[in-house]
Amino acid sequence: MDVPHLLDLLDLAERGADRFLGSTQPLPEHRTFGGLLLAQSIAAAGRTVPADRPVHSMHALFVRAADPTRPIEYAVDRIRDGGATSSRRVVAGQDGVEVFTALVSFQRGRDGLRHQADFPPATAPEELLPLHERFADSDVPIPDWWRLPRAIELRHVDRTPYPPPVEPGEASRHLVWMRAPEKLPDEPLLHACALAYASDMTLLEPVFLLHGVDRHATGVQLASLDHAMWFHEDLRADEWLLYDQDCPVAAGGRVLGRGNVFDRSGRHVATVAQEGLLRIQR
């Protein structure tokens, strides 16, 4: 999928008052990519909020698998519009069955205290190969779609968890540069949507590296359960962003992924957290 296709997916069709329809993106696993639901829910909520209130947070729950061959309906509930903040509930469904829900908040910025996480040392993206080029001429047994360019370009600073066999590692931090490889329109909400889409791509990769698990192996079951994002600063998703990720805990058949997102200047522009279901049949 290329950048124009991603823009088409984020251009939701109106279906009445605060109701929208989004197209889906079929994947080889015959499931809907969670990042698409995240991005489209922000796009739907943003349609009901004044432009001077950028998105500042999202808390989402993946209720059940969505059919990637059918469009998704988004219903927005205007919970509150205050003096500086707006809150929206978004429910995504197919044929009247709920598949996803999110609380999305918007705020007109105000001055206040400031501090942030440290920008981690990382190899510059220009010195790294895009993910699809790393495997373009390789006979590593991975799904073919990892060898294709996509709407979000990924450049791993460290190891990738894809080529089996994978050996357990000790590093808890996993760094990935990412960006849309083509210029996006100058709409802040669109850039937030693109980052939300990208945030679901690699966030749980640290657990595979730590435990030496091949994510594509037979018997590995992975599914996103919930996802939270906080947008701290203005950002551009068509410029390089560094995704600093780790997995602090795995227990009960679930794993927790965390990520800090920085721009090239070192600003901490967003924070992400996600819990995923991970089961391994041995």
Side-chain angles (χ1 to χ4, degrees):
M1 184 182 76
D2 56 14
V3 172
H5 188 190
L6 176 60
L7 294 177
D8 288 342
L9 292 174
L10 297 178
D11 186 15
L12 307 181
E14 295 191 11
R15 288 293 185 267
D18 297 345
R19 299 294 186 271
F20 306 91
L21 190 68
S23 300
T24 51
Q25 171 195 1
L27 292 179
E29 292 90 345
H30 194 71
R31 61 184 178 88
T32 299
F33 175 49
L36 179 61
L37 292 165
L38 300 170
Q40 289 183 335
S41 67
I42 294 176
R47 294 276 193 94
T48 70
V49 175
D52 66 344
R53 298 186 180 195
V55 60
H56 79 82
S57 72
M58 175 188 61
H59 297 76
L61 180 67
F62 297 94
V63 178
R64 54 175 55 86
D67 186 343
T69 66
R70 293 156 49 223
I72 299 175
E73 303 164 356
Y74 293 89
V76 180
D77 180 13
R78 304 189 185 211
I79 300 175
R80 180 179 184 271
D81 284 306
T85 63
S86 294
S87 301
R88 298 291 187 263
R89 180 184 295 110
V90 182
V91 176
Q94 290 179 320
D95 296 332
V97 177
E98 182 177 343
V99 299
F100 172 91
T101 186
L103 294 175
V104 188
S105 298
F106 302 78
Q107 181 201 24
R108 186 170 60 245
R110 292 179 174 177
D111 293 332
L113 302 176
R114 298 187 69 89
H115 74 274
Q116 67 165 61
D118 293 334
F119 182 78
T123 305
E126 292 81 7
E127 300 178 32
L128 303 167
L129 285 176
L131 182 62
H132 65 278
E133 290 186 13
R134 291 178 72 157
F135 300 116
D137 299 320
S138 170
D139 58 359
V140 169
I142 57 174
D144 288 340
W145 60 280
W146 282 113
R147 295 183 169 91
L148 301 175
R150 54 181 70 185
I152 300 298
E153 181 180 334
L154 303 176
R155 299 195 180 192
H156 287 65
V157 176
D158 310 302
R159 305 168 58 197
T160 70
Y162 314 123
V166 179
E167 297 297 330
E170 297 181 355
S172 60
R173 173 177 279 182
H174 186 50
L175 301 173
V176 180
W177 289 101
M178 57 189 183
R179 69 170 179 180
E182 299 177 27
K183 183 175 176 57
L184 301 177
D186 295 328
E187 300 175 16
L189 182 68
L190 180 62
H191 288 262
C193 291
L195 177 57
Y197 179 90
S199 70
D200 192 35
M201 286 183 165
T202 61
L203 186 55
L204 299 183
E205 288 184 352
V207 73
F208 295 106
L209 292 168
L210 283 168
H211 291 270
V213 174
D214 174 11
R215 67 178 293 176
H216 299 297
T218 301
V220 175
Q221 180 184 4
L222 176 68
S224 301
L225 296 175
D226 56 21
H227 195 99
M229 293 190 71
W230 297 266
F231 299 88
H232 312 304
E233 305 275 3
D234 294 337
L235 63 94
R236 291 200 65 92
D238 54 5
E239 297 178 357
W240 285 116
L241 298 171
L242 181 62
Y243 205 4
D244 181 9
Q245 305 154 101
D246 73 346
C247 179
V249 62
R254 303 182 308 276
V255 297
L256 177 66
R258 301 182 302 190
N260 293 332
V261 183
F262 300 88
D263 66 11
R264 276 304 278 276
S265 71
R267 293 187 312 145
H268 186 176
V269 298
T271 300
V272 187
Q274 181 184 100
E275 189 174 47
L277 174 74
L278 179 58
R279 294 174 179 168
I280 302 174
Q281 299 176 1
R282 300 190 184 277

